Structure formats: structure tokens, C-alpha cells
């Protein structure tokens, strides 16, 4: 299974969980002790996994945001500040545009989902374990900002090295425990959904959200290159043909970091100054996650509507602003965006555990396309920064 891509393993998990959940009705054993025990076993696993994930979220934030802020602060120069501002600005803007498009399109596509076969409490876990996080999400964010900015201004490196070690540990937990178990977690989720009679409504919601997210991500790519054309006063829509290798590499690897060598060649082919490309492309691989922002914003809205909750602007405006900050330091691993944002989704949008499981499943199912969107957006930002660098250099002369 490890040799298969994460997306393939996720699809296998969804199919396996669906078959298990539906088998009770197919075989006429939906209310039998044995079938209920199997679904409850899956529910027990998903409960324990969710508890562990909730415990890890503040540590993920502290490990990545602290080191990210410390390292970014040490690179403070005009190109860095411009690149950071563009990454944050476009991330927040894409979030707000996605919200308004979602307000128009989603209410007619997504209806509240309710069980119509068996009561969900029939499939409660056999047992639960309470493991409280070390601190809350907002505490973790504020602590990360204070420590990160403080370490950026320290001469010594001892404290930064400690947090880098913490980042390595947390990355290992993500890569070796959380990410490999996500397909099993999703299988358990869909087995319960299918057994409770909510499968077809859930699949309809997923299909609607998935399609709209992909359309918005493609439109985002075009809009970024349109913006680059306006700023550079040159038709960069034609330059999009040179980014195709980076897009498909990101689609396959599901990692912005792994795509950096290909992305650099694409930037060179678009005549971006090599020094600018060598700075912007690796930096944006970790701070420019617009594809994730589109998915998380629209996905959260859809899941809230399916849960009978109205996604208001007053609720989402601060969430999108904070999401832009969180995305700047999201871990560069498959699913890193949703793992970093899950705390905000829970604390600011009030997601329950089942809702958290749905946003994780949705994000992982389209993560390849989100990563490809991030990587191609980096190319447009590189063109803009390159134009700014040329203009500034000319004035300096």
C-alpha cells in the first residue's frame, strides 16, 4: 500500500468503507450484532485517531509556524517582503472570492444531510480516550508568533535549533503515523456514513464541492497570470504553456517541495531572472497555498450547509484572514494545509468531530490539484517580483 500514491490509497479507503457500510443492507444484516460490532470497531478507531489528531494540532502549529516565522524574519529584504505580501494578499483575496462564489452557488446544490436508515448512536465507539491538547489553537498561534519573531531577532541559534528538532519530530509523526493512517480513518468514516444511510447525500455533496473547487482553482491560475500581465505590461497568458511540466509534476508528487527543481526550470523558461527565481520559487513553495485556501474555504462552507449551519460573512471573514497567516507556515507534506488549518476550522467555525473528518477527506481527495494550483501560482508571483526587481534596479542606477 505504501507504494501507491496517497490519492489512490484514499480512494481505496473510501470504496472499502462504503462497501463495508452498505453490506449490512445488501446482506440483510444491518441490525445484527456482528455487523453493528464491525461498524463500531471502525468508529472506535476514528474516535481514537481524531483524539490523537486534536492533540497534535497545537504542536503542529507551534513546530511549523514558530520556525517559519523565525526563518522568514531573518530574510527581511525588499524582495522577501514583497513576495510575502503577495502570497498573503492573494491567499486572502482568493479566500474571500471563494466565499462569495460559494454563497451564490452552494445553497442550491447542497441540502442538509440526515440519516434515514439507522440512528447514528447505534454505531457509537466501544470506548473513548480523553487526551487534552497541551494548549488551545489560538494560544498556539500567539505563542508561535511571539517565539518566532523573538528568535528572528536573537543572535544565538540554540533556541531555534530546539524548535527545528521539534519540527523534525512533528514531521515524522505526520509522515509515519498520521498520513499513512488517513485512508483507514476515511474508510471508517465512510463505513459509518453508509451504514447510517447518509452515503448518497454525502457523495452528492462531495461531488459538487470537488467540481466547484477544481473550477475555481483553474480560474485562479488564469487570474494570477492575468494579474502578472497587467503588472508587467506584457501578455503572460502565453507564458502559461511553460508551466505545464510544473503543474503535472505537482499533480503526481503532491508536494510543492518536490516540484521545486521543475518549477525553477519553468521560471527560467519564462525569462524570470535566475536570482529572482532561485529566491521566489523555493520560498513560495512553503508560503503560497492558494489552492488549499480555495478548498478549505469552499469545503468548510459546503459541510456547514450540509450540517444545517449558515456560513455567514461575519463568521468567515476573520477565519479567512487567519487562514492566510496559517497557510504561510503550513508544513510542506501532503495534507499539510488541512492539518495546519484544522485548529482554526474547529475553534473559529465550530466544526464537530464528524465535520472535521469530512473536511479532511475532501482536502485529501483534491490535494494533488491544490498542490498543482499552488505551484503554478508561484510562477505568476515570480513574474511580478521579477518586474518589481527590474524596476527598482533601474531606479537605483
Amino acid at each position: 500500500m505504501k507504494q501507491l500514491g496517497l490519492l489512490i490509497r484514499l480512494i481505496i479507503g473510501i470504496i472499502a468503507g462504503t462497501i463495508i457500510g452498505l453490506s449490512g443492507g445488501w446482506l440483510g444484516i444491518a441490525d445484527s450484532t456482528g455487523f453493528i460490532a464491525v461498524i463500531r470497531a471502525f468508529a472506535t478507531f476514528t474516535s481514537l485517531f481524531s483524539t490523537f489528531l486534536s492533540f497534535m494540532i497545537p504542536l503542529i502549529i507551534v513546530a511549523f509556524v514558530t520556525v517559519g516565522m523565525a526563518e522568514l524574519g531573518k530574510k527581511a529584504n525588499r524582495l522577501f517582503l514583497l513576495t510575502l505580501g503577495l502570497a498573503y494578499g492573494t491567499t486572502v483575496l482568493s479566500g474571500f472570492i471563494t466565499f462569495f462564489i460559494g454563497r451564490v452557488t452552494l445553497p442550491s446544490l447542497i441540502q442538509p444531510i440526515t440519516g434515514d436508515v439507522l440512528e447514528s448512536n447505534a454505531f457509537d465507539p466501544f470506548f473513548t480516550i480523553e487526551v487534552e491538547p497541551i494548549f488551545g489553537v489560538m494560544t498556539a498561534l500567539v505563542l508561535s508568533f511571539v517565539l518566532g519573531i523573538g528568535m528572528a531577532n536573537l543572535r544565538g541559534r540554540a533556541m531555534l535549533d530546539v524548535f527545528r528538532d521539534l519540527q523534525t519530530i512533528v514531521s515524522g509523526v505526520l509522515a509515519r503515523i498520521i498520513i499513512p493512517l488517513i485512508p483507514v480513518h476515511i474508510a471508517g468514516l465512510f463505513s459509518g456514513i453508509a451504514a447510517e444511510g447518509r452515503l448518497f447525500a454525502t457523495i452528492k455533496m462531495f461531488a459538487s464541492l470537488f467540481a466547484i473547487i477544481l473550477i475555481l482553482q483553474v480560474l485562479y491560475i488564469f487570474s494570477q497570470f492575468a494579474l502578472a500581465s497587467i503588472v508587467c505590461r506584457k501578455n503572460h497568458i502565453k507564458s502559461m504553456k511553460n508551466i505545464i511540466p510544473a503543474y503535472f509534476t505537482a499533480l503526481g508528487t503532491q508536494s510543492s517541495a518536490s516540484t521545486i527543481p521543475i518549477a525553477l526550470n519553468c521560471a527560467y523558461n519564462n525569462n524570470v531572472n535566475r536570482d529572482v527565481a532561485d529566491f521566489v520559487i523555493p520560498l513560495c513553495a512553503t508560503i503560497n497555498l492558494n489552492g488549499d485556501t480555495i478548498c478549505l474555504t469552499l469545503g468548510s462552507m459546503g459541510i456547514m450547509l450540509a450540517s444545517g449551519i449558515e456560513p455567514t460573512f461575519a463568521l468567515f471573514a476573520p477565519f479567512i484572514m487567519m487562514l492566510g497567516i496559517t497557510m504561510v507556515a503550513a508544513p510542506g507534506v501532503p495534507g499539510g494545509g488541512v492539518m495546519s488549518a484544522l485548529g482554526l476550522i474547529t475553534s473559529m467555525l465550530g466544526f464537530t468531530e464528524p465535520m472535521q473528518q469530512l473536511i479532511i477527506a475532501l482536502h485529501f481527495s483534491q490535494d494533488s490539484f491544490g498542490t498543482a494550483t499552488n505551484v503554478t501560482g508561484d510562477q505568476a508571483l515570480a513574474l511580478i517580483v521579477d518586474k518589481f526587481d527590474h524596476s527598482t534596479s533601474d531606479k537605483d542606477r
Side-chain angles (χ1 to χ4, degrees):
M1 285 290 288
K2 289 183 178 180
Q3 296 176 349
L4 298 175
L6 181 59
L7 179 58
I8 300 299
R9 284 182 281 152
L10 181 66
I11 293 172
I12 292 173
I14 291 174
I15 294 173
T18 299
I19 292 173
I20 292 171
L22 292 176
S23 63
W26 293 341
L27 301 175
I29 56 172
D31 55 353
S32 68
T33 303
F35 176 75
I36 292 176
V38 170
I39 304 301
R40 290 187 67 190
F42 272 108
T44 303
F45 174 82
T46 58
S47 174
L48 295 175
F49 184 87
S50 296
T51 299
F52 180 67
L53 187 58
S54 298
F55 171 78
M56 288 298 301
I57 286 171
L59 295 178
I60 292 171
I61 292 172
V62 170
F64 286 95
V65 176
T66 300
V67 174
M69 289 293 175
E71 293 182 340
L72 294 180
K74 292 184 176 181
K75 300 175 184 175
N77 56 54
R78 63 183 185 182
L79 292 187
F80 164 71
L81 293 176
L82 174 64
T83 306
L84 183 62
L86 284 170
Y88 179 76
T90 56
T91 296
V92 171
L93 183 60
S94 66
F96 279 113
I97 292 174
T98 299
F99 172 80
F100 289 117
I101 291 175
R103 287 281 292 177
V104 173
T105 59
L106 292 181
S108 61
L109 295 174
I110 297 176
Q111 302 300 321
I113 298 173
T114 57
D116 56 9
V117 177
L118 291 173
E119 294 295 328
S120 60
N121 59 14
F123 304 119
D124 284 344
F126 287 116
F127 63 91
T128 59
I129 297 177
E130 294 294 330
V131 181
E132 293 293 330
I134 298 175
F135 32 67
V137 172
M138 296 308 298
T139 301
L141 278 171
V142 174
L143 178 64
S144 300
F145 295 152
V146 171
L147 292 177
I149 294 171
M151 286 188 287
N153 292 279
L154 286 177
R155 293 183 179 179
R157 295 171 50 89
M159 192 170 182
L160 179 57
D161 288 339
V162 171
F163 278 89
R164 280 177 175 158
D165 288 341
L166 175 62
Q167 187 183 69
T168 301
I169 293 170
V170 172
S171 295
V173 173
L174 281 171
R176 294 185 176 91
I177 299 176
I178 293 178
I179 302 301
L181 288 178
I182 282 288
V184 182
H185 178 62
I186 299 304
L189 169 66
F190 272 83
S191 68
I193 288 173
E196 293 166 13
R198 298 181 289 121
L199 178 65
F200 297 108
T202 302
I203 289 177
K204 180 182 176 183
M205 177 194 70
F206 261 64
S208 300
L209 292 175
F210 196 97
I212 298 173
I213 288 169
L214 290 187
I215 292 171
L216 289 180
Q217 288 173 342
V218 172
L219 291 176
Y220 162 77
I221 294 172
F222 277 95
S223 68
Q224 287 290 82
F225 278 85
L227 176 63
S229 298
I230 294 171
V231 173
C232 301
R233 298 179 181 178
K234 180 180 178 181
N235 183 11
H236 279 302
I237 299 297
K238 296 188 297 184
S239 302
M240 292 180 64
K241 66 178 184 297
N242 293 325
I243 69 171
I244 293 175
Y247 183 90
F248 282 99
T249 300
L251 205 62
T253 62
Q254 212 170 342
S255 168
S256 297
S258 300
T259 313
I260 287 175
I262 305 298
L264 283 172
N265 283 330
C266 292
Y268 300 154
N269 291 335
N270 279 330
N271 298 316
V272 176
N273 181 281
R274 282 182 172 263
D275 290 338
V276 172
D278 291 346
F279 173 78
V280 173
I281 296 300
L283 177 61
C284 283
T286 58
I287 70 172
N288 188 39
L289 283 83
N290 296 83
D292 294 78
T293 301
I294 292 169
C295 172
L296 293 172
T297 302
L298 193 77
S300 297
M301 293 177 69
I303 292 170
M304 289 176 71
L305 285 170
S307 303
I309 304 171
E310 181 70 17
T312 63
F313 181 76
L315 191 63
F316 267 80
F319 168 71
I320 292 171
M321 299 292 287
M322 290 301 298
L323 187 62
I325 297 174
T326 304
M327 291 294 97
V328 165
V333 296
V338 71
M339 292 305 171
S340 293
L342 198 57
L344 293 179
I345 293 171
T346 303
S347 62
M348 300 186 76
L349 302 183
F351 268 40
T352 61
E353 185 176 306
M355 295 167 72
Q356 294 173 38
Q357 294 168 1
L358 287 174
I359 192 65
I360 291 173
L362 177 65
H363 185 276
F364 271 88
S365 68
Q366 70 79 58
D367 195 34
S368 294
F369 297 97
T371 302
T373 302
N374 298 336
V375 167
T376 49
D378 297 346
Q379 298 288 323
L381 294 189
L383 291 167
I384 296 173
V385 174
D386 186 47
K387 174 63 176 178
F388 174 83
D389 185 53
H390 279 305
S391 300
T392 307
S393 298
D394 292 340
K395 287 181 181 180
D396 291 341
R397 295 194 192 100

